[in-house]
Amino acid sequence: PSNACSSLPLSCISCSCPYSCKYGASSNASCTAPPEARCEGARNFTLQFQCSYCYLTDDETHRCSTRDIGCRSVGSPTSKSHWYIANCTTRENTICLGKQVFSKKKECNWTEGYSWKTACILSITLGGFGADRFYLGHWQEGIGKLFSFGGLGVWTLVDVVLVSTGYIGPADGSLYI
């Protein structure tokens, strides 16, 4: 029992997309099953796709390399080395305009040197005075904790849990070292 030619995976057929399609709208790609493919029905058919260039598709529709060569682990998001060029490939059954393999600028993981261990110790010992929040750069909350004596201890206990689980991190969005 053979499958219909139109149900073959994209790796087994050849499709061409009209570049005149309206971006973001549904369009039809002209596809052809090669003579050596074992399938039934018409070898020339159309498949529906959303008109978009491959490099502009959603992150779920392509895979990118995670080799962040050239990234500095220390720095700010405004620095030049905060980005790297990843090699990306669309997923197997994604029809899109342009090349299926492309380069994409991705953000590096970076840190400003905040230590998770230090944040936890400060939260446990001096959390009532807001030392953990000041250390992580959340100075507004630090002032609130300082003048409320850690929310009379309740805010301090909650922050111990939040800091130790990593829910509260550095204010600048960086990672812990």
Side-chain angles (χ1 to χ4, degrees), residues 5-18 27-34 42-49 94-96:
C5 291
S6 60
S7 65
L8 290 173
L10 288 178
S11 58
C12 298
I13 58 177
S14 173
C15 292
S16 64
C17 303
S27 187
N28 290 319
S30 301
C31 300
T32 305
R43 294 204 171 267
N44 294 320
F45 51 91
T46 60
L47 289 178
Q48 208 169 32
F49 76 105
T94 302
I95 300 176
C96 51

Side-chain angles (χ1 to χ4, degrees), residues 87-126:
N87 293 323
C88 303
T89 308
T90 58
R91 298 216 181 260
E92 187 173 325
N93 285 330
T94 302
I95 300 176
C96 51
L97 300 171
K99 295 183 177 182
Q100 302 270 322
V101 178
F102 54 92
S103 298
K104 193 171 191 176
K105 195 174 184 182
K106 301 287 271 183
E107 192 172 11
C108 296
N109 290 333
W110 61 283
T111 181
E112 280 289 337
Y114 294 101
S115 167
W116 175 78
K117 188 188 288 186
T118 303
C120 285
I121 291 169
L122 285 172
S123 187
I124 293 166
T125 58
L126 298 171

Side-chain angles (χ1 to χ4, degrees), residues 58-70:
D58 294 329
D59 285 342
E60 298 86 42
T61 60
H62 58 265
R63 290 184 304 274
C64 295
S65 64
T66 55
R67 292 181 40 223
D68 46 3
I69 296 174

Side-chain angles (χ1 to χ4, degrees), residues 114 132-133 136-138 162-163 166-176:
Y114 294 101
D132 52 346
R133 293 287 186 146
L136 292 172
H138 301 280
L162 294 177
V163 169
Y167 188 80
I168 295 177
D172 59 8
S174 65
L175 302 173
Y176 288 116

